[in-house]
Amino acid sequence: MSFPIERPRRLRQSAALRRMVAETRLAPEQLIQPVFAVAGENIVRPIASLPDVHHYSIDRLIPYVREVAARGVSAVLLFGVPEKKDAHGSEAASDDGVVQRAIRALREAVPDMIVMSDVCLCAYTDHGHCGVPVVGRQSPEGQSSVVSRQSSVKTPLVSLLPTTDDRSINNDETLPLLANVALSHARAGAQVVAPSDMMDGRVGAIRSALDREKFHDVLVMSYAVKYASAFYGPFRAAQDSTPQWGDRRSYQMDCANGREALREVRLDVEEGADLVMIKPALPYLDVIVRVRAAVDVPVVAYQVSGEYAMQKLAAAHGLVDERAVMMESLLAMRRAGADLIITYAASAVAEWLA
Ligand code: PBG
């Protein structure tokens, strides 16, 4: 059968028909809103690198998250901006840290919202890496402590030139630190912990630490397929987590590789990941397709800061329609096979959908 019998346009002739035959849909409960908690009180501070995203002190975070919940968004992914940094990122596992306090406050004040927490060291270490450096190689100048890194906004992001720095991050020494961070989040009440460091074996280390402490019901959402991407720039400015030397290419994935993503996902599922994430999203739709076909756990796509900021800035310049490009991007991720999407636009999108 072919033209003139077959006419694909027949199915497109009205909005009602198009809606009826749409293969892919987007609903608020498929969205996850990242949020940034800072110490202090009465703070709602716009993040310069992420239009319409703010740093909130805990007292102001609560009403904001209540509003996000009212729009039907399922979960928030919590990031903290700590006050202190050191070589081992010790603040990250403190029961009194800003993230742990925010988790407790949110669980109490907004019980229907699922609280997910990012588990990493990079915002807490003075060198800005996601793990501990190999001993004796703390920093290029020999100093191990750079306390204020506010100037990181201007630091070049992941450069596309070959890495010249061979200092490396100690995988196995990092694992217990990550497990402690995850445990402190679980003790505070996080329902989902999300390791974003890309150390080998961290899902297993976190799962067994959680189980040992009887947190069997706490889920692990692994950043299973996390590329060493230039699209994280606006986020690093927001969380002050730019590496102070070298880059993250000895632990995050090479953007040339697709097959390797399946290996990362397989290992994380074997180690106990309940959900697996791919990040960034739009430049890696092929990876989402392959991962969706390979595993039976929910697949999550993270529309990262650079993807979001590029759209917002282009829209602000009148070059694209903000809503249309956002909806098209998110639908593309769903079409590729993502069950859930993490996006800085989650709350806004949920409102558009209503
Ligand atoms: C921390 C972390 C990063 C992101 C999420 N968790 C930054 C990085 O790995 O450099 C990026 C999020 C975004 O760009 O939106 N490890």
Side-chain angles (χ1 to χ4, degrees), residues 126-147:
D126 50 25
H127 43 75
H129 279 285
C130 306
V132 291
V134 169
V135 176
R137 294 178 144 184
Q138 265 87 342
S139 80
E141 299 81 25
Q143 94 248 65
S144 63
S145 206
V146 186
V147 175

Side-chain angles (χ1 to χ4, degrees), residues 25 39-40 46 48 53 57 79 94 108 119 121 156 185 226 247 270 298:
R25 290 167 215 276
V53 182
S57 55
F79 293 95
S94 157
E108 195 187 315
V119 172
L121 299 179
H185 293 181
K226 180 174 182 178
D247 53 43
E270 280 169 11

Side-chain angles (χ1 to χ4, degrees), residues 27-240:
E29 57 271 21
Q30 294 161 333
L31 301 173
I32 298 167
Q33 175 73 54
V35 294
F36 294 93
V38 296
E41 261 173 53
N42 204 22
I43 297 169
V44 180
R45 200 169 45 225
I47 299 175
S49 59
L50 285 171
D52 295 334
V53 182
H54 299 80
H55 283 135
Y56 291 96
S57 55
I58 295 172
D59 56 321
R60 299 295 294 270
L61 182 66
I62 287 168
Y64 169 68
V65 171
R66 255 195 214 115
E67 184 188 306
V68 177
R71 292 178 178 179
V73 171
S74 287
V76 289
L77 175 60
L78 184 61
F79 293 95
V81 183
E83 297 192 289
K84 289 196 306 278
K85 297 174 191 280
D86 59 31
H88 287 77
S90 36
E91 173 100 2
S94 157
D95 286 326
D96 268 340
V98 67
V99 166
Q100 290 81 356
R101 284 186 285 125
I103 295 170
R104 282 194 293 270
L106 286 173
R107 293 288 285 124
E108 195 187 315
V110 201
D112 336 325
M113 185 58 113
I114 296 169
V115 176
M116 304 178 156
S117 62
D118 183 82
V119 172
C120 201
L121 299 179
C122 59
Y124 300 84
T125 49
D126 50 25
H127 43 75
H129 279 285
C130 306
V132 291
V134 169
V135 176
R137 294 178 144 184
Q138 265 87 342
S139 80
E141 299 81 25
Q143 94 248 65
S144 63
S145 206
V146 186
V147 175
S148 172
R149 299 200 273 105
Q150 291 309 319
S151 62
S152 62
V153 178
K154 291 175 221 84
T155 311
L157 313 163
V158 176
S159 117
L160 289 174
L161 298 170
T163 307
T164 50
D165 196 311
D166 70 348
R167 271 173 294 262
S168 63
I169 297 302
N170 189 319
N171 190 85
D172 296 15
E173 274 180 25
T174 303
L175 299 182
L177 303 186
L178 293 167
N180 282 339
V181 176
L183 274 178
S184 74
H185 293 181
R187 274 195 299 274
Q191 291 123 309
V192 183
V193 292
S196 66
D197 52 283
M198 288 298 277
M199 298 300 124
D200 292 334
R202 91 276 206 213
V203 172
I206 289 171
R207 182 73 268 163
S208 48
L210 290 171
D211 289 351
R212 199 166 51 238
E213 302 285 328
K214 306 270 185 282
F215 291 113
H216 302 103
D217 292 334
V218 172
L219 287 80
V220 177
M221 172 172 75
S222 75
Y223 286 67
V225 183
K226 180 174 182 178
Y227 285 94
S229 170
F231 287 95
Y232 305 152
F235 172 94
R236 291 181 187 170
Q239 215 202 5
D240 191 23

